[in-house]
Amino acid sequence: IKLRRLNTEYVDAFLRSDVDWYQRHLAEEFRCITASGEVMDRAAFLADAAAPVEMTAFDVQDVSVEFFGDAAVVQARTEYEKADGARGQTRYTDIWIGRDGRWQVLCAQITAVAMP
């Protein structure tokens, strides 16, 4: 339940450009593989997260959480519409680790899904 809530907060932080949330929840060695294939370290991700996100719709579906000891894998699918009317879908995978009594995101990967 806690990781489902954290997943919702993660998405909300993206939509609100809430860098403070990410600073509290990303592991120091965090890496993100973007939908374009770029690998971002924590500093680059935080800088990117500060930019406003212009979405008119962002729906997260099919959320799954699987635990592996002190690690967990969160996966989901998103459908979105940007302010310019462009629509798209992604699937994402986040790897969380239990460290120092809290959950931290270690790695994220976003994959673009071809629209039907």
Side-chain angles (χ1 to χ4, degrees):
I1 299 291
K2 181 170 185 161
L3 276 176
R4 285 189 180 273
R5 179 179 51 79
L6 286 169
N7 181 67
T8 298
E9 290 177 7
Y10 192 125
V11 171
D12 289 344
F14 163 69
L15 294 171
R16 292 187 328 268
S17 303
D18 185 353
V19 175
D20 290 338
W21 188 93
Y22 288 120
Q23 287 176 328
R24 291 190 314 273
H25 293 89
L26 300 183
E28 287 301 317
E29 62 272 44
F30 173 83
R31 296 286 182 273
C32 178
I33 302 170
T34 68
S36 67
E38 178 185 2
V39 178
M40 301 174 81
D41 65 10
R42 186 178 193 272
F45 183 90
L46 290 171
D48 190 63
V53 175
E54 297 182 4
M55 298 280 183
T56 58
F58 196 86
D59 187 34
V60 179
Q61 303 173 7
D62 306 327
V63 177
S64 69
V65 178
E66 295 182 74
F67 292 91
F68 303 93
D70 288 337
V73 176
V74 176
Q75 294 182 307
R77 182 172 60 87
T78 68
E79 294 182 6
Y80 62 85
E81 184 173 342
K82 295 181 179 181
D84 65 5
R87 299 174 58 109
Q89 292 184 40
T90 64
R91 291 193 183 273
Y92 67 82
T93 299
D94 296 326
I95 299 173
W96 292 75
I97 55 170
R99 182 188 285 167
D100 301 327
R102 61 192 182 101
W103 287 102
Q104 296 179 308
V105 186
L106 181 63
C107 182
Q109 179 161 354
I110 304 158
T111 303
V113 177
M115 293 291 286

